[in-house]
Amino acid sequence: MYTILKESHNGIGMLLLFLLLLVIIFILVRFLLKKPFNKSVKVAALIGMVTMHIQILIGLILYFLSPLGMSNFSGESMGHTISRFYIVEHPIGMLLAAVLITIGYRVTKKINLPDTSKYKKLLIYYFLGFAIVAYLIPWFLWS
Ligand code: HEM
């Protein structure tokens, strides 16, 4: 169970990073070309948000199953960079990124807002979420 979740968390994490980048580029291009804020933008934003939520859910379960998660919490582990990364920085930062993406997605529900404002808000929140995810992926695993 732990191994399946860990591998899924790894795979979906990479997929999410790539997907968010694609979604941001797609929305940015439509914004720059002054295209209407239509259903395709909403669907693209929804795909990004749903993938993010799935990843957070797996991350939360993993936090209680992994030897690097909750069970590793102690005063001593807080002094160790990698332990602290998995116990505090990675989960809290990723949760913040998910909150930003979710707030950004809510813009698609607004009716009485000009398209330009919707595009700008969506792009800012999604870009911030993407930047945090990109920063907090444990890249050191592959270096
Ligand atoms: C967008 C959100 C997230 C992304 C992209 C992400 C990505 C990753 C990646 C790539 C790994 C390395 C997996 C491996 O060693 O094979 C990892 C590990 C881990 N993540 Fe996340 N994560 C996210 C959110 C979260 C959240 C919200 C939590 C906890 C609340 C969490 C808890 C963990 C834990 C405990 C590990 C260590 C697993 C282990 O090696 O035993 N993650 N994460």
Side-chain angles (χ1 to χ4, degrees), residues 7 16 114:
E7 290 310 319
L16 175 70

Coordinates of all heavy atoms in Angstrom, one line a residue, residues 7 16 114:
E7 N 4.7 5.7 -5.1 CA 5.0 5.8 -6.5 C 3.9 6.6 -7.3 O 4.3 7.4 -8.2 CB 5.0 4.4 -7.1 CG 6.2 3.5 -6.7 CD 7.5 4.2 -6.9 OE1 7.7 4.9 -7.9 OE2 8.4 4.1 -6.0
L16 N 1.4 16.6 -12.6 CA 0.8 17.8 -12.2 C 1.7 19.0 -12.6 O 1.2 20.0 -13.1 CB 0.6 17.8 -10.7 CG 0.1 19.1 -10.0 CD1 -1.4 19.3 -10.4 CD2 0.2 19.1 -8.5
P114 N -15.2 41.4 -15.9 CA -14.7 41.4 -17.3 C -13.7 40.2 -17.6 O -13.0 39.8 -16.7 CB -14.0 42.7 -17.4 CG -14.2 43.5 -16.2 CD -14.8 42.5 -15.2

